[in-house]
Amino acid sequence: MAGSEVRYVNSGGVHIAYRVFGDGPVDLVLVPAFTSHLEQNHEWPGVVRWNARLVSFSRLIVFDKRSTGLSDHAPGPVVLEDTMQDVLAVMDATGAERPAVIGDLEGAALSALFAATHPERTRARVLYAPLVKGTATNDFPWALAPELQHMFGEQLSTAWGSEPMARLLAGVVAPSLADDEQFLQFLAKAMRSSVSPGAAKAWLRMIREIDVREALPQIRVPTLLVHRTGDRAVDVESSRYAASRIPGARLVELPGGDNLTFVGDSEAVAAEIEEFLTGSRTPPMPDRVLATILFTDIAGSTEHAAEVGDRRWRELLGATTPWPERSWSGTGVGR
């Protein structure tokens, strides 16, 4: 998928890397999770297809958050409010005056906070499997899955970016590809490319502290929530909670257990987003094509073939009939 080269914008002394794809009628800013790298992510075909699908109806703006991917490593702790300024800087650099914004996991938490704080710069909001709260409590048990919190615990420093950890991670965020060796290699490399072990620890500390519940009722822009009902990383109840507190929000629950947008039935997710932002959805591409083939039977060929035999008939046909005059007929359905 063709796109612009990686560019940088200065956000409070931190250089934020971004790219722009397409020129559709809707500006769409994608706020990623912290495992992001603007170039390495596109080594997986699923990411390419997902972004291309979004580009089919938008001008897609993607970036690496501070201390991730190709962006500068920022001094001090990771703070959501700083990352909001990075979003504004990228929007200004790309001329996106009032784009739609989409985020997943902690990127969705950031998106919700951004919409509540900057409604004048937000056309619409798409929250995919939002992480409303990072740590479970009695009044909100639908936080980041305990398996992930444990996985990113004491062994993170030595196991980060290894294929065994990628296999454990895939079992939670992409169970449909948990046994796909190529995907596991991609995921392990994505972990290493996006953040160092120390930066990963910093992001996990911030994620555990996330709590955007009070911001939800303050969101006054059109909001779509999309969540797969079998999601093991973030329980669908998190989206149900958010939808009940964001005025006018629409919640779409889809089947499946993958948390990553580009894994599983990503077309179903993209179609909901497209319809929400444009009012219509692109018909799915057929996976079969009707083909019509014409042929002309040489007079008496069937009877003659029966008399001389198929092999001898092919030899005779090749000796007496020039290729341009041969044709076939019939109709069929092919892949």
Side-chain angles (χ1 to χ4, degrees):
M1 180 179 60
S4 73
E5 62 184 10
V6 175
R7 297 183 180 276
Y8 290 90
V9 59
N10 191 310
S11 176
V14 178
H15 293 91
I16 305 300
Y18 70 90
R19 296 181 74 182
V20 179
F21 296 91
D23 58 358
V26 178
D27 281 341
L28 180 60
V29 175
L30 176 60
V31 181
F34 73 90
T35 49
S36 169
H37 189 288
L38 287 178
E39 293 179 332
Q40 190 273 335
N41 284 3
H42 286 78
E43 294 179 8
W44 183 250
V47 174
V48 176
R49 287 193 298 269
W50 168 250
N51 285 354
R53 184 63 177 87
L54 297 180
V55 167
S56 70
F57 59 87
S58 73
R59 182 173 75 117
L60 180 63
I61 302 165
V62 297
F63 69 100
D64 286 339
K65 293 185 295 193
R66 58 178 56 207
S67 299
T68 72
L70 296 175
S71 293
D72 279 349
H73 181 83
V78 177
V79 181
L80 275 182
E81 287 74 11
D82 291 340
T83 309
M84 280 201 299
Q85 296 306 309
D86 300 342
V87 176
L88 286 172
V90 170
M91 289 168 57
D92 290 341
T94 57
E97 293 295 329
R98 199 163 180 260
V101 182
I102 177 175
D104 59 348
L105 283 176
E106 88 275 2
L110 171 61
S111 298
L113 193 59
F114 186 90
T117 308
H118 299 284
E120 77 286 353
R121 296 298 303 271
T122 311
R123 169 178 175 169
R125 182 71 39 183
V126 178
L127 306 178
Y128 176 82
L131 189 65
V132 173
K133 194 172 185 297
T135 302
T137 52
N138 290 336
D139 60 341
F140 195 92
W142 313 295
L144 187 67
E147 302 97 307
L148 289 180
Q149 303 224 25
H150 176 72
M151 189 185 310
F152 295 147
E154 296 180 357
Q155 295 183 345
L156 185 146
S157 296
T158 56
W160 180 256
S162 67
E163 288 196 30
M165 177 172 274
R167 186 178 299 276
L168 292 173
L169 180 60
V172 180
V173 302
S176 69
L177 291 179
D179 296 321
D180 186 312
E181 293 299 327
Q182 288 186 323
F183 177 74
L184 296 178
Q185 292 172 14
F186 161 78
L187 188 58
K189 185 177 179 181
M191 297 166 69
R192 297 190 300 269
S193 301
S194 58
V195 290
S196 65
K201 282 187 175 181
W203 275 102
L204 265 297
R205 282 194 295 269
M206 186 276 290
I207 288 174
R208 292 190 186 102
E209 297 173 358
I210 283 177
D211 188 349
V212 297
R213 289 179 293 176
E214 292 186 3
L216 299 179
Q218 309 305 317
I219 297 177
R220 292 292 189 270
V221 301
T223 301
L224 170 69
L225 296 102
V226 183
H227 210 129
R228 290 168 174 151
T229 55
D231 192 330
R232 292 179 54 193
V234 181
D235 196 291
V236 69
E237 289 293 344
S238 178
S239 283
R240 293 169 183 167
Y241 176 95
S244 70
R245 284 159 177 78
I246 300 175
R250 178 190 175 197
L251 170 62
V252 175
E253 298 183 12
L254 297 173
D258 294 305
N259 172 267
L260 301 179
T261 54
F262 57 87
V263 177
D265 189 2
S266 57
E267 170 57 31
V269 179
E272 295 293 343
I273 297 171
E274 180 183 21
E275 184 173 20
F276 173 68
L277 295 179
T278 69
S280 62
R281 61 175 69 193
T282 303
M285 292 293 292
D287 62 356
R288 297 197 293 179
V289 178
L290 177 64
T292 301
I293 307 173
L294 300 178
F295 76 88
T296 301
D297 191 15
I298 299 175
S301 62
T302 303
E303 294 80 359
H304 193 44
E307 292 178 4
V308 302
D310 289 343
R311 182 176 178 182
R312 174 59 184 146
W313 174 247
R314 285 194 297 269
E315 294 172 352
L316 179 62
L317 188 62
T320 59
T321 307
W323 279 111
E325 294 182 11
R326 299 177 193 166
S327 55
W328 303 75
S329 91
T331 59
V333 178
R335 296 287 295 187

